[in-house]
Amino acid sequence: AQKVTQAQTEISVVEKEDVTLDCVYETRDTTYYLFWYKQPPSGELVFLIRRNSFDEQNEISGRYSWNFQKSTSSFNFTITASQVVDSAVYFCALSEAERNYGGSQGNLIFGKGTKLSVKP
Amino acid sequence: NAGVTQTPKFQVLKTGQSMTLQCAQDMNHEYMSWYRQDPGMGLRLIHYSVGAGITDQGEVPNGYNVSRSTTEDFPLRLLSAAPSQTSVYFCASSSTFNTEAFFGQGTRLTVV
């Protein structure tokens, strides 16, 4: 069965600190996709990144970077020089390539989220 | 470009009442889904659809019905509201089930 664990429930940092949000996943599929979404205090869900299981190259987008390691089943997200606007709940999610009717396989399975508070 | 539109944004129901949460998308996406978000639980899949006329259950389908008569619309029906259905509901759409999902603004539902 697929599962996503975000062990950090809440993190609080001071502006300009670097912060890493952890995500560990479980799946039996060899082909799968990993996602990160941001939910700011306004409540909407904002897509940040999608990776497939065959692409372990790390990705950097501005102050954001993602470290995908299949050996440890982790897909961690780092914010460099955090800002107050980064305060949000961040969700990691998994989608397996094999879709079976009657279950949740193939759909997004979310972790419980990490609430990040960045203080000025 | 509206994306995914959910209505209403807020709703209060009495136990036993029924209602429909509306979801519409204008991106011609085949795949649509409904999630509920509860504190400390993340988002859990209620129902999903892979195209007009095709729906299936997710992780927490009890107490909810869906139908998909058009590509654009995917309403969620609460048959007989219960306090346990107090939650924030999100509708999402994507071109396929493994691509980026676009979410609506959410509906905050309270059942008293």
Side-chain angles (χ1 to χ4, degrees):
Chain A
Q2 54 182 325
K3 184 180 177 182
V4 175
T5 301
Q6 295 179 256
Q8 304 149 309
T9 307
E10 291 192 41
I11 300 176
S12 182
V13 299
V14 176
E15 209 170 18
K16 297 184 184 175
E17 281 186 37
D18 298 347
V19 58
T20 295
L21 309 182
D22 297 332
C23 173
V24 174
Y25 61 92
E26 294 176 29
T27 177
R28 284 181 278 189
D29 276 14
T30 55
T31 303
Y32 51 90
Y33 299 82
L34 295 164
F35 302 78
W36 276 94
Y37 283 85
K38 174 182 179 180
Q39 187 176 42
S42 51
E44 72 273 23
L45 284 152
V46 179
F47 167 80
L48 294 178
I49 190 171
R50 168 183 178 263
R51 303 294 278 177
N52 72 58
S53 53
F54 297 108
D55 184 0
E56 287 193 72
Q57 202 168 16
N58 292 334
E59 179 147 345
I60 298 174
S61 176
R63 296 184 296 107
Y64 295 172
S65 62
W66 291 268
N67 180 251
F68 176 28
Q69 292 194 345
K70 285 178 78 169
S71 60
T72 56
S73 297
S74 64
F75 186 44
N76 296 337
F77 172 31
T78 297
I79 302 174
T80 303
S82 59
Q83 299 176 2
V84 172
V85 293
D86 296 325
S87 297
V89 179
Y90 291 87
F91 292 99
C92 180
L94 165 71
S95 174
E96 293 174 336
E98 288 298 315
R99 180 163 51 85
N100 301 312
Y101 286 103
S104 296
Q105 289 93 334
N107 296 287
L108 284 172
I109 299 298
F110 284 85
K112 294 184 178 180
T114 297
K115 182 178 181 180
L116 174 65
S117 298
V118 182
K119 301 189 186 312
Chain B
N1 188 357
V4 179
T5 302
Q6 280 183 243
T7 55
K9 288 197 171 76
F10 301 94
Q11 183 71 48
V12 178
L13 286 180
K14 293 183 179 178
T15 297
Q17 286 184 318
S18 62
M19 80 160 293
T20 299
L21 307 185
Q22 301 292 344
C23 176
Q25 53 95 5
D26 61 0
M27 297 172 281
N28 203 31
H29 285 166
E30 289 296 322
Y31 188 77
M32 296 185 73
S33 51
W34 277 101
Y35 291 85
R36 59 177 287 173
Q37 182 179 17
D38 302 294
M41 297 296 293
L43 283 87
R44 293 181 293 168
L45 182 67
I46 304 172
H47 285 284
Y48 66 98
S49 169
V50 299
I54 306 171
T55 64
D56 206 348
Q57 298 180 349
E59 181 185 356
V60 288
N62 292 341
Y64 307 95
N65 268 357
V66 293
S67 60
R68 183 97 179 267
S69 56
T70 66
T71 299
E72 295 76 23
D73 300 301
F74 190 44
L76 178 72
R77 279 181 283 278
L78 279 71
L79 309 172
S80 177
S84 61
Q85 294 178 304
T86 293
S87 187
V88 180
Y89 291 85
F90 286 96
C91 177
S93 78
S94 59
S95 53
T96 72
F97 62 89
N98 276 324
T99 55
E100 171 192 354
F102 293 83
F103 285 84
Q105 297 274 32
T107 297
R108 185 173 293 275
L109 175 69
T110 302
V111 182
V112 298

